[in-house]
């Protein structure tokens, strides 16, 4: 690197970028630990919560919402089916499409996991004023939109 090029940590926004990345890693670790008794991990919870909110979503729509590839989905979904948490049903109009649904056990587990996640969020952010939480959310949503646009441009 030549003398005129600045190093990443010299950039004014580097601290923010690193803080977001570290917070994300620590949130994932805390959530993983908190969900251990339910024998699920954050990727399972992401799927369960989306099926809870959007019952009958297609596998493709789910993968797009979670920003993961089909290969990742094709590893996780059979595991969850085997545990009787979800079921896949063919679409009545398009036989190529599989729709995803929670089973009764999947709904029970999702509700228990959401309670754990909500408690973790509350404990973690309880000292932050609501206005600051909202400002952070707005800022993160802008960053997400920028990064998604960059990915779609590639």
């Amino acid at each position: 690197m030549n003398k005129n090029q600045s190093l990443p940590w010299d950039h004014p926004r580097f601290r923010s970028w690193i803080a977001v990345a570290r917070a994300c890693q620590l949130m994932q670790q805390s959530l993983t630990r908190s969900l251990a008794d339910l024998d699920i991990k954050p990727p399972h919870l992401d799927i369960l919560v989306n099926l809870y909110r959007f019952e009958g979503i297609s596998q493709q729509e789910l993968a797009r919402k979670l920003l993961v590839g089909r290969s990742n989905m094709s590893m996780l979904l059979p595991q969850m089916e085997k545990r009787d948490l979800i079921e896949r049903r063919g679409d009545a109009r398009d036989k190529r499409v599989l729709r995803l649904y929670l089973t009764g056990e999947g709904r029970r587990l999702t509700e228990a996991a959401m309670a754990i996640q909500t408690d973790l969020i509350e404990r973690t952010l309880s000292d932050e004023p609501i206005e600051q939480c909202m400002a952070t959310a707005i800022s993160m949503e802008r960053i997400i939109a920028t990064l998604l646009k960059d990915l779609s441009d590639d």
Side-chain angles (χ1 to χ4, degrees), residues 46 50 60-70 72-73 144 147-148 151:
D46 289 342
N50 272 279
Q60 187 174 7
E61 290 166 325
L62 180 62
R64 199 169 32 253
K65 278 187 177 299
L66 298 179
L67 305 173
V68 297
R70 281 188 283 183
N72 209 357
M73 281 286 121
I144 290 165
L147 293 171
L148 286 172
L151 285 173

Side-chain angles (χ1 to χ4, degrees), residues 24-109:
C24 185
Q25 286 178 315
L26 288 168
M27 285 185 287
Q28 288 290 348
Q29 289 172 8
S30 294
L31 186 57
T32 297
R33 189 174 42 254
S34 297
L35 294 171
D37 288 344
L38 298 179
D39 194 27
I40 61 170
K41 292 187 167 62
H44 299 113
L45 179 60
D46 289 342
I47 291 169
L48 293 168
V49 167
N50 272 279
L51 297 186
Y52 194 90
R53 288 187 69 196
F54 308 107
E55 188 172 45
I57 191 171
S58 74
Q59 287 184 210
Q60 187 174 7
E61 290 166 325
L62 180 62
R64 199 169 32 253
K65 278 187 177 299
L66 298 179
L67 305 173
V68 297
R70 281 188 283 183
S71 62
N72 209 357
M73 281 286 121
S74 51
M75 280 182 13
L76 291 170
L77 295 178
Q79 296 170 3
M80 296 174 77
E81 243 179 340
K82 195 174 193 173
R83 285 186 60 189
D84 193 35
L85 300 176
I86 66 166
E87 61 183 358
R88 294 187 262 193
R89 300 181 206 154
D91 185 285
R93 285 172 273 159
D94 187 344
K95 299 297 179 204
R96 298 168 297 174
V97 175
L98 286 174
R99 302 237 166 243
L100 301 167
Y101 298 86
L102 291 175
T103 63
E105 174 61 18
R107 184 166 295 282
R108 184 198 65 71
L109 184 73

